[in-house]
Amino acid sequence: MKANKLVKGLVTAALAGAALVALAGCGGSASSLQIAVPSDPTNEARALLLLQDQGLIQLKEGVGLAATKNDIAENPNNIEIIETEAASLPRTLEDVDMAVINGNYAIGADLDTSSTLASESTESEAAEKYANVIAVQEGQEQSDKAVALVTALHTQTAQDFINNTYSGSVVTVGEVADEADIPEATGDDTTIKVGASPAPHAEILAQVADILAAKGWTLEVIEYSDYIQPNVALADGELDANYFQHITYLEDYNAENGTTLANAGAVHFEPLGLYPGKTASLDGLKTIG
């Protein structure tokens, strides 16, 4: 009986050892590094390009903003890419080595946005395609309300607030505007009703309320916690404008819903940032790998 138990123990140990060798051979080590990225196609591609820029992975040539983790051609540090719903990424930091997080979700989770190890360049393709815009109904792009709102958001006051508050997780686009260029409110309809996500959009809008008031406008901000209702409300005429989405999202929304919402002007860009989790630095990540 004891002999049989000994034989079984030796067999079990041998099988376990073989399994470990097999895992090591295919890169499936229990100590593999993990980086969480947004699971939606657009932001996942941006995240992978950011990781490539840091020398952590190499993507297949030419995949660009269509990249998925299946397009990783070289992975010298044996990094496991964990696809995660974008809004949940801040909560993953205690469980993964690093995470690539959208600026608005980092701000909403009270992350220290100055702690990013890397972020997308303002000269990148993403900065052009994913600038956050003021959306209005088609034909209203040059209305006094739209021009007043966009101009106010480009004033030095607004740009200083963005640059001083968000530590690079929100960056301004476009030239600084003169407050004198904001059109005066006339007639009875002097309220600009804008739908916005709480952070950073509603926070930025709050900085220009007094600037608009000096020109006779009343700024009314309605906050939304989702990415559908602000466009529904704008299309239905319940809002004069909204401020929560980037250009590509707006275009995709129009294509999918048969709407004709228009871009009245880009205001800012939210670079994806690489945040430390269990591993504190890029050098540390490469050392572990």
Side-chain angles (χ1 to χ4, degrees), residues 189-270:
D189 186 9
T190 60
T191 297
I192 306 175
K193 188 177 292 188
V194 185
S197 60
H201 304 85
E203 295 173 350
I204 296 169
L205 285 166
Q207 309 310 307
V208 302
D210 289 344
I211 294 173
L212 289 167
K215 293 287 186 172
W217 298 104
T218 299
L219 179 64
E220 182 179 344
V221 178
I222 297 90
E223 294 188 7
Y224 293 87
S225 59
D226 72 283
Y227 279 11
I228 302 298
Q229 291 308 309
N231 278 337
V232 172
L234 180 58
D236 289 345
E238 298 172 13
L239 301 172
D240 296 304
N242 66 40
Y243 177 38
F244 76 99
Q245 63 195 322
H246 54 57
I247 296 169
T248 303
Y249 183 91
L250 174 61
E251 293 172 346
D252 290 346
Y253 182 88
N254 280 334
E256 293 172 5
N257 294 279
T259 50
T260 55
L261 304 179
N263 168 19
V267 179
H268 75 259
F269 170 57
E270 297 177 11

Side-chain angles (χ1 to χ4, degrees), residues 51-150:
L51 297 180
Q52 177 175 253
D53 288 343
Q54 305 313 307
L56 297 175
I57 60 172
Q58 182 65 46
L59 297 169
K60 296 174 183 176
E61 186 174 353
V63 292
L65 288 169
T68 72
K69 69 178 185 179
N70 295 326
D71 294 309
I72 298 175
E74 297 178 23
N75 190 357
N77 298 293
N78 192 32
I79 294 169
E80 180 183 2
I81 302 298
I82 307 296
E83 297 166 318
T84 305
E85 198 275 323
S88 301
L89 282 165
R91 297 196 295 273
T92 70
L93 286 174
E94 63 183 23
D95 299 316
V96 298
D97 292 277
M98 295 179 186
V100 182
I101 303 176
N102 300 69
N104 58 319
Y105 293 126
I107 294 165
D110 293 325
L111 295 183
D112 177 4
T113 54
S114 67
S115 70
T116 53
L117 304 174
S119 62
E120 290 176 296
S121 167
T122 55
E123 303 299 319
S124 66
E125 181 182 358
E128 180 178 346
K129 290 180 66 68
Y130 301 111
N132 280 224
V133 301
I134 296 296
V136 296
Q137 290 188 340
E138 187 177 41
Q140 295 301 306
E141 298 95 319
Q142 295 302 315
S143 67
D144 283 350
K145 287 186 177 184
V147 172
L149 182 61
V150 172

Side-chain angles (χ1 to χ4, degrees), residues 141-189:
E141 298 95 319
Q142 295 302 315
S143 67
D144 283 350
K145 287 186 177 184
V147 172
L149 182 61
V150 172
T151 304
L153 288 167
H154 282 95
T155 58
Q156 193 68 59
T157 297
Q159 296 215 350
D160 285 348
F161 174 79
I162 290 171
N163 293 330
N164 294 334
T165 303
Y166 299 114
S167 302
S169 62
V170 180
V171 294
T172 58
V173 298
E175 299 295 325
V176 176
D178 193 324
E179 293 182 21
D181 293 333
I182 299 173
E184 295 275 358
T186 58
D188 297 328
D189 186 9

Side-chain angles (χ1 to χ4, degrees), residues 274-289:
L274 179 60
Y275 286 81
K278 294 190 294 185
T279 301
S281 71
L282 288 171
D283 288 340
L285 191 72
K286 293 173 184 177
T287 299
I288 293 171

